Amino acid sequence: MPVSDSRAGTGRAVPFDLMPTATAVVDEQGAVVGWSDEATRLLGVGPEQVLGRPVGALLAPEQADVLPPRGGAERTAAGLSSGAVIRVVHRDGRVLTLGVQATALTDISGGRRWHLSAIDLGRAPWWRASHSVLERFLTRSPYGIAVLDTQLRYVWTNGTLERMAGVTLEQRLGRRMRDVLPKLSPFQVERQLRSVLDTGRPVLNFEYRGYVPIDPGREHAFSTSILRLDDDDGRVLGVCYISVDITDRWRTRERLTLLTESGTRIGTTLDLEATARELTEVAVPGLADLALVDLLDPVLQGDEPGPPDRTGPPPLRRMAHLSVRTGTPEAVVGIGEDPGYPASSPMIRCLAEEGAVLQPSLQGQPWTVEDHARGASRHAWDLHSLMAVPVRARGTVLGVAVFIRSGGSDPFEAEDLALAEELVSRAAVCLDNARRYTREHRTALTLQRSLLPQSIPVLPAIEAAYRYLPAAADGSAGGDWFDVLPISGARVALVVGDMVGHGINAAAAMGRLRTAVHTLADMDLPPDELLAHLDDLVLRLVDERSEQPVGPETSATAQGATCLYIVHDPATGHCTMARAGHPAPAILTPDGRVTFAELPPGPPLGVGTLPFESAEFDLPEGTVLALFTDGLVSGAGLGPAAAGERLRGVLESARPGLEHACEDILATMLPDGPDDDAVLLLARTHRLTEDRIVTWELPSDPVVVAEARLLAAGALAAWGLDDLVFTTELVVSELVTNAIRYGSAPVTLRLINESVLICEVSDGTSTSPRLRHARTTDEGGRGLFLVAQLCRRWGTRYTDTGKIIWAEQNLP
């Protein structure tokens, strides 16, 4: 590596740097016979002042015993031959510390001469004064050091670098890194070396990975700093790099990074399959080339697995698998299938022993021979190292996670197993939470389905179709409900409600409200009064909750629930509606026009501030009512007005038939599924024809009872219901008698021939009849008792002008 000797002033190239060295020649008597110019510059005395004088005269007084002033040249030279530190006096009186070495010479006459070389130790640093010290420092450095020329060829390395890679200096000299270390990212390193050569800017802590001959089966990581070598004239001589093996530190850092990522990437949902998939996504490729997650069958149902069955492999299901290869071709089974592990496999041993199993090498493992499919996969994809870790949470094993390396990846080590156990333990908690949620979710759905109508009754007065959609976001049970309730007088009540919240509590609260609506509907209350009673019930529920400790089991109440209640009378086509904070229904008339019923809004249930009001409508035959919860319109991603217009448009253009119309509405309003529970109830109203209803105005006179019996018998004969004449006459006689005796005019008798035979008697008072238990000696009081025995049901409903007593009989 030639450099310019600037001190000599010649400008010629010399093979190495030289120290400024003062020289002198001493004869056998110790007299100075030769003196260099550098010696003159060093001591400030010229040859004329030194030649012929004893060399010891130059020493400081305390050094006289080192070089005697006269004679003893042999002794002096022997003392200096191996080097010595002496002190001499400069011309100006300063004392200099010199490093001196003597070399024996023979002149032409055969006489002995001594060549003395000296350097000023006070001005020259130790690394320039002693090349041996510098060489020992570089050679023994714990860091690998290399010097390369401008062609990036090795010219020198220390022993540490040789031992670090297993390549000697002789193997490196004159060769480039790509030639001697082809698997250690040589092109990446040489780009950095060339950049330092071109720019002169050092590179610090450049990291790269690869394989070295001394440990070819394990990937190593190195951190290298690079600097350019220049001489005093700025000539570029080459580059030097200092390298250290950071494999252990790099692996530790990678493992910590993987653990940190797992905290945010695993358990983002309460879904078993998604959580298992997230575990594989964290593990591949950071830990393994192939990751599998198999869970025990009971876990998928939300149940807790029992103790291990020692009689055979437990039933497992593949929940997730992921490979560095597209499509995970190494997987022997698909998602949802039983992996069918052999009993001797590490996976089954892991489950049976509830402990992780590490197999650094799969070569010659018996279970891979027994399992032909996995044996073929191992050979096809060079699967060579495996870890099986039990998925265990809260002391219960839920399944097994398997990690496999293939191809040129390093075999698994104990540190990898510790990392895998930590990853799986974190995922296990999330999987167990998902299992518990699955169980609660299944319970809530079961409860909710049991509380919702199992079917819609087939009624002449109305034709209905419905759809219930749980929230697409989590599929959890909600509190939306609906009902189609037959009530007295062939009328039908339509109900749609929306409970705040999700889960078991919401479903249970919904069940209580639905039961209350059934009870209140049987009382034949008008819609506004029914909602008022329902509001009182919700307020009582809220008070009950407020008296209990706050906790998850008491967090959901019925407060804030909404409800829409509609009563349709097929005899008149009259419809009465009231709502409590619920969206108004859409009305599709036979001419194809869609409007939204103008109803007083009413507060949500449980507020208890404003009264509820009803609105009345006369609906033509064939009118379709569309009742829905806000999940249908809010899930469209539009504002209320825009969502209403979209619903109006799809109702107008929907296919004929209520079932088809339901499908069209959901496809248009919720193409991606609802964000909240959604209920849609379509009801086409029908009117009873005139030949199915007969009505008589009766005078308030006891003698009219006999006439009423005759009128009823005639109507039944016209309908072909002769088998019901006797019981109907008894019912009519009792109800008309009570109306005349205890009521007031006007008295009206009405018979309705629908799915049942309905007898109604109305009068002008609100006094309700009472079923009495007559004594054996009583002459009366048995009329309503007979009515209750002869009819399927009976009851009273109140009107603005009085009351109606009704009774129903099954048709033959």
Side-chain angles (χ1 to χ4, degrees):
M1 207 184 319
V3 297
S4 174
D5 185 3
S6 60
R7 292 174 298 282
T10 63
R12 63 186 178 86
V14 295
F16 47 84
D17 283 341
L18 295 177
M19 291 287 297
T21 306
T23 59
V25 180
V26 179
D27 63 12
E28 293 178 345
Q29 286 73 36
V32 178
V33 295
W35 192 254
S36 68
D37 292 343
E38 187 64 34
T40 300
R41 285 192 292 272
L42 179 61
L43 299 180
V45 293
E48 68 279 1
Q49 298 169 300
V50 176
L51 292 176
R53 298 179 61 190
V55 66
L58 300 173
L59 299 177
E62 65 272 16
Q63 295 283 288
D65 59 336
V66 177
L67 292 177
R70 293 186 182 277
E74 289 288 343
R75 182 168 63 86
T76 300
L80 298 177
S81 62
S82 60
V85 177
I86 63 175
R87 295 168 64 82
V88 300
V89 179
H90 191 272
R91 180 179 181 182
D92 59 11
R94 291 181 292 114
V95 176
L96 304 177
T97 302
L98 304 182
V100 181
Q101 189 170 26
T103 305
L105 302 174
T106 302
D107 61 17
I108 193 171
S109 63
R112 299 287 286 175
R113 297 284 188 270
W114 303 96
H115 180 273
L116 302 180
S117 301
I119 61 173
D120 184 354
L121 296 180
R123 298 181 59 187
W126 65 268
W127 55 86
R128 297 185 65 185
S130 177
H131 291 283
S132 62
V133 174
L134 178 60
E135 182 179 359
R136 285 194 296 272
F137 167 74
L138 295 176
T139 303
R140 298 175 183 176
S141 170
Y143 303 101
I145 303 174
V147 178
L148 292 78
D149 63 15
T150 55
Q151 300 303 314
L152 302 183
R153 296 181 299 239
Y154 285 98
V155 297
W156 182 85
T157 63
N158 68 350
T160 304
L161 190 68
E162 294 181 12
R163 294 187 295 274
M164 189 182 297
V167 182
T168 65
L169 175 60
E170 290 74 15
Q171 293 172 311
R172 293 179 188 254
L173 285 178
R175 304 177 71 188
R176 300 181 66 167
M177 186 175 180
R178 67 180 65 176
D179 301 323
V180 296
L181 295 169
K183 295 183 179 180
L184 192 58
S185 307
F187 296 98
Q188 184 181 3
V189 176
E190 288 184 356
R191 280 196 297 270
Q192 298 295 327
L193 294 170
R194 178 59 63 186
S195 174
V196 173
L197 270 176
D198 294 342
T199 64
R201 291 192 294 270
V203 170
L204 302 178
N205 301 321
F206 166 63
E207 295 184 5
Y208 55 96
R209 305 195 304 271
Y211 296 86
V212 292
I214 197 172
D215 189 10
R218 183 170 182 260
E219 188 178 27
H220 285 250
F222 296 90
S223 176
T224 295
S225 297
I226 308 170
L227 66 152
R228 191 170 73 180
L229 300 177
D230 306 324
D231 64 10
D232 290 346
D233 292 334
R235 188 187 303 272
V236 178
L237 308 179
V239 289
C240 173
Y241 72 78
I242 303 172
S243 186
V244 60
D245 190 332
I246 60 167
T247 302
D248 293 338
R249 187 174 69 191
W250 166 69
R251 290 181 184 275
T252 300
R253 185 177 62 198
E254 291 292 307
R255 293 181 180 115
L256 288 176
T257 301
L258 202 61
L259 283 177
T260 302
E261 290 180 357
S262 69
T264 57
R265 295 174 58 185
I266 298 177
T268 60
T269 68
L270 286 173
D271 180 81
L272 284 169
E273 186 174 345
T275 304
R277 185 171 60 250
E278 289 166 351
L279 173 58
T280 63
E281 291 171 350
V282 169
V284 176
L287 176 62
D289 298 321
L290 172 64
L292 316 168
V293 178
D294 305 306
L295 298 182
L296 296 169
D297 266 351
V299 176
L300 277 60
Q301 306 303 320
D303 299 328
E304 185 169 310
D309 185 0
R310 309 293 182 180
T311 61
L316 291 166
R317 284 291 175 270
R318 175 65 48 82
M319 297 302 295
H321 55 219
L322 184 65
S323 166
V324 293
R325 300 173 179 87
T326 303
T328 314
E330 309 96 320
V332 176
V333 300
I335 302 297
E337 299 179 10
D338 185 347
Y341 294 123
S344 60
S345 67
M347 288 66 78
I348 300 302
R349 286 166 43 207
C350 162
L351 290 173
E353 300 169 6
E354 298 187 6
V357 177
L358 169 62
Q359 286 193 344
S361 174
L362 297 179
Q363 186 69 32
Q365 291 293 328
W367 67 273
T368 61
V369 179
E370 298 172 15
D371 192 336
H372 299 292
R374 287 184 173 82
S377 177
R378 183 180 73 82
H379 288 291
W381 305 106
D382 191 18
L383 309 180
H384 61 76
S385 189
L386 177 146
M387 296 186 298
V389 181
V391 180
R392 182 171 49 219
R394 300 179 179 92
T396 301
V397 174
L398 308 177
V400 60
V402 184
F403 306 95
I404 301 175
R405 284 183 178 170
S406 61
S409 300
D410 298 343
F412 286 119
E413 303 172 343
E415 292 79 2
D416 296 317
L417 183 61
L419 173 62
E421 288 181 304
E422 181 64 27
L423 287 177
V424 173
S425 68
R426 296 187 179 191
V429 174
C430 300
L431 287 169
D432 191 53
N433 289 337
R435 177 190 67 81
R436 291 166 177 257
Y437 170 76
T438 299
R439 181 179 60 188
E440 180 180 342
H441 174 57
R442 186 182 61 183
T443 303
L445 286 178
T446 302
L447 174 62
Q448 182 197 37
R449 292 191 182 104
S450 68
L451 295 174
L452 287 173
Q454 304 304 305
S455 62
I456 292 180
V458 178
L459 302 171
I462 209 159
E463 175 188 354
Y466 70 92
R467 293 292 187 274
Y468 171 80
L469 277 72
D474 56 9
S476 59
D480 291 16
W481 88 93
F482 64 95
D483 262 311
V484 177
L485 305 175
I487 55 179
S488 65
R491 297 171 306 145
V492 178
L494 304 174
V495 190
V496 171
D498 187 354
M499 177 64 56
V500 175
H502 295 85
I504 292 179
N505 293 325
M510 175 269 287
R512 297 183 72 171
L513 288 188
R514 182 168 177 255
T515 301
V517 170
H518 278 237
T519 302
L520 295 172
D522 284 341
M523 294 172 62
D524 279 322
L525 296 177
D528 53 345
E529 291 188 27
L530 183 142
L531 292 180
H533 284 284
L534 203 60
D535 186 56
D536 292 337
L537 171 63
V538 172
L539 288 174
R540 287 196 299 272
L541 293 177
V542 173
D543 291 339
E544 291 176 7
R545 294 287 185 179
S546 63
E547 296 174 359
Q548 299 178 14
V550 177
E553 69 280 359
T554 61
S555 58
T557 69
Q559 189 171 21
T562 65
C563 185
L564 171 66
Y565 188 79
I566 299 175
V567 174
H568 167 61
D569 187 348
T572 61
H574 196 67
C575 192
T576 306
M577 309 179 186
R579 60 172 172 162
H582 201 86
I587 301 175
L588 172 63
T589 53
D591 59 5
R593 292 189 309 109
V594 176
T595 59
F596 288 92
E598 296 183 3
L599 299 180
L605 299 174
V607 176
T609 54
L610 301 175
F612 299 99
E613 300 180 36
S614 296
E616 298 182 356
F617 303 86
D618 287 321
L619 302 181
E621 165 69 22
T623 298
V624 175
L625 295 172
L627 293 75
F628 52 89
T629 59
D630 60 0
L632 182 73
V633 289
S634 62
L638 305 172
E645 287 303 314
R646 177 177 291 187
L647 178 59
R648 183 199 306 272
V650 69
L651 271 173
E652 291 176 345
S653 61
R655 291 174 292 172
L658 297 184
E659 294 292 341
H660 289 156
C662 283
E663 295 174 1
D664 293 344
I665 292 171
L666 293 181
T668 301
M669 301 300 295
L670 302 172
D672 301 322
D675 296 329
D676 191 10
D677 297 344
V679 165
L680 173 65
L681 175 61
L682 298 182
R684 178 175 284 115
T685 62
H686 297 293
R687 286 196 177 189
L688 296 178
T689 57
E690 293 182 357
D691 61 338
R692 313 289 286 182
I693 305 174
V694 290
T695 305
W696 300 280
E697 295 285 340
L698 302 176
S700 185
D701 187 343
V703 298
V704 81
V705 174
E707 182 181 353
R709 289 197 295 267
L710 293 175
L711 294 173
L716 293 181
W719 288 336
L721 300 177
D722 297 305
D723 292 343
L724 298 179
V725 170
F726 177 72
T727 56
T728 303
E729 286 181 340
L730 288 176
V731 170
V732 168
S733 178
E734 178 59 30
L735 296 184
V736 172
T737 299
N738 283 343
I740 294 173
R741 181 179 299 174
Y742 303 109
S744 62
V747 176
T748 303
L749 170 64
R750 184 169 72 164
L751 297 180
I752 301 175
N753 180 13
E754 194 210 24
S755 57
V756 294
L757 177 64
I758 304 171
C759 176
E760 295 182 343
V761 175
S762 62
D763 65 75
T765 66
S766 59
T767 303
S768 176
R770 181 169 57 90
L771 184 64
R772 294 175 55 191
H773 296 280
R775 298 178 182 272
T776 56
T777 56
D778 291 342
E779 297 182 359
R782 298 179 178 83
L784 288 180
F785 178 78
L786 290 174
V787 171
Q789 297 299 312
L790 296 174
C791 299
R792 62 191 298 266
R793 63 175 188 158
W794 71 280
T796 305
R797 71 173 182 270
Y798 297 93
T799 65
D800 294 338
T801 59
K803 67 177 183 297
I804 298 175
I805 310 297
W806 55 270
E808 294 180 357
Q809 300 178 71
N810 291 323
L811 296 178

